[in-house]
C-alpha cells in the first residue's frame, strides 16, 4: 500500500483546491473522486436518464467506463475513452452526480478504481466516503468543512470571476440540498470518520488551510 491520505467534506469546503496543492508539495498524486462520479453523471445526462430513474441508472451506469490518467500532474478523467474534463464542472453535472451517487451500482463501479489507485500510489484522495469506506486504513484522514455561508460565498465569487451571472441565495440553497443528500443517503453517506481530524476552513485563508493540512499529515505519517 502507498501512503494514503483521505480528505472528506461537504461541497465547497475547498477540498480540491487545497488537496491539489498539498499533493504537489508532498509529491503524492491527487485523486479527485468527485470527478469520477461526475463522469458517470455526464454519461447519464447524455443518455437522457433522469435523476429519479434509479433502476435505469443502475442499468446505464454499467455502460460508463471511467478511467483516469495523469498528464503533467493533472488528473484527466476519461469516459469510454473520451477526455471529459471540460464537461464535468457544470452545476447540472454536479447535481446529477449528487443524485446518481446515491445509487449502489454507481458506487460499486468506482470503488475498485479508487482502491487500486491508492494501492499503487502515494495518494491524497478527496471525496465524501474516503476515510469511512474507501480507505479505512488511510494513514491520515482529514474532514474539511466550512460554514454553508462561507462555502456559498466562495462558490459565488468563483462564478463571478468566471464572468457568470449568479445569485448568492440560489447557490446557498443548492449547496444545502447537496449537503442534505450527501449526508443522509443510505449508502456511504458523508461522515467524519472516527479517526479523522476536523479542519474548519471558514475563517482561514487557502494558505493557512494548506499549512494546517500539511502539519496534520506529517504528524500522522511520521509516527
Ligand atoms: O466533490 P464533487 O462536488 O465533485 O462531487 C460531486 C458529487 O459526487 C457529490 O455531490 C457526491 C458525489 N460523491 C460521492 O458520493 N462520493 C465521493 N467520494 C465523491 C463524490
Amino acid at each position: 500500500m502507498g501512503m494514503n491520505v483521505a480528505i472528506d467534506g461537504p461541497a465547497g469546503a475547498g477540498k480540491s483546491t487545497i488537496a491539489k496543492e498539498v499533493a504537489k508539495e508532498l509529491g503524492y498524486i491527487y485523486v479527485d473522486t468527485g470527478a469520477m462520479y461526475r463522469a458517470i453523471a455526464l454519461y447519464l445526462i447524455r443518455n437522457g436518464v433522469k435523476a429519479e430513474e434509479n433502476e435505469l441508472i443502475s442499468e446505464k451506469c454499467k455502460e460508463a467506463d471511467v478511467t483516469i490518467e495523469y498528464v503533467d500532474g493533472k488528473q484527466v478523467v476519461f469516459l469510454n475513452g473520451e477526455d471529459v474534463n471540460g464537461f464535468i464542472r457544470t452545476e447540472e453535472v454536479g447535481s446529477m452526480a449528487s443524485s446518481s451517487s446515491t445509487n449502489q451500482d454507481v458506487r460499486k463501479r468506482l470503488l475498485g478504481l479508487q482502491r487500486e489507485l491508492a494501492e499503487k500510489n502515494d495518494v491524497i484522495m478527496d471525496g465524501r466516503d474516503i476515510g469511512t469506506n474507501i480507505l479505512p486504513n488511510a494513514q491520515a484522514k482529514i474532514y474539511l468543512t466550512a460554514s454553508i455561508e462561507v462555502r456559498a460565498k466562495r462558490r459565488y465569487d468563483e462564478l463571478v470571476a468566471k464572468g457568470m451571472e449568479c445569485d448568492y441565495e440560489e447557490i446557498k440553497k443548492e449547496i444545502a440540498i447537496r449537503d442534505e443528500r450527501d449526508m443522509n443517503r443510505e449508502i456511504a453517506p458523508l461522515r467524519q470518520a472516527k479517526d479523522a481530524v476536523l479542519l474548519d476552513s471558514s475563517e482561514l485563508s487557502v494558505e493557512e488551510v494548506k499549512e494546517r493540512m500539511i502539519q496534520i499529515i506529517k504528524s500522522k505519517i511520521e509516527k
Side-chain angles (χ1 to χ4, degrees), residues 19 21 24 54 59 143 148 158 168 209:
E21 292 197 19
K24 206 187 288 171
N54 203 36
E59 199 183 302
Y143 189 84
I148 187 159
E158 218 175 273
Y168 169 80
V209 181

Side-chain angles (χ1 to χ4, degrees), residues 33-34 37-38 97-98 101 107 127-130 178 182 185:
T33 62
Y37 285 96
R38 284 171 183 263
S98 173
S101 64
R107 304 203 73 80
R128 303 293 189 287
D129 63 335
I130 309 305
R178 188 97 80 87
D182 293 352
R185 66 181 176 218

Side-chain angles (χ1 to χ4, degrees), residues 2-106:
M3 291 304 298
N4 292 174
V5 177
I7 317 257
D8 292 297
K15 298 188 299 291
S16 65
T17 312
I18 311 277
K20 220 179 277 170
E21 292 197 19
V22 172
K24 206 187 288 171
E25 191 138 334
L26 298 177
Y28 291 11
I29 65 167
Y30 165 59
V31 182
D32 173 0
T33 62
M36 300 174 186
Y37 285 96
R38 284 171 183 263
I40 292 192
L42 179 68
Y43 182 82
L44 297 170
I45 291 170
R46 282 179 172 177
N47 285 278
V49 181
K50 303 270 174 301
E52 59 281 5
E53 295 177 305
N54 203 36
E55 275 178 31
L56 194 56
I57 291 176
S58 286
E59 199 183 302
K60 281 284 177 190
C61 77
K62 299 197 172 88
E63 300 166 4
D65 187 33
V66 177
T67 51
I68 70 170
E69 277 178 30
Y70 287 86
V71 180
D72 297 329
K74 193 172 154 233
Q75 175 178 296
V76 183
V77 183
F78 291 87
L79 171 62
N80 296 331
E82 174 196 355
D83 170 357
V84 290
N85 266 25
F87 302 102
I88 57 175
R89 291 290 147 209
T90 65
E91 213 44 60
E92 185 193 13
V93 173
S95 170
M96 182 59 157
S98 173
S99 295
S100 53
S101 64
T102 62
N103 180 295
Q104 187 164 13
D105 296 303
V106 169

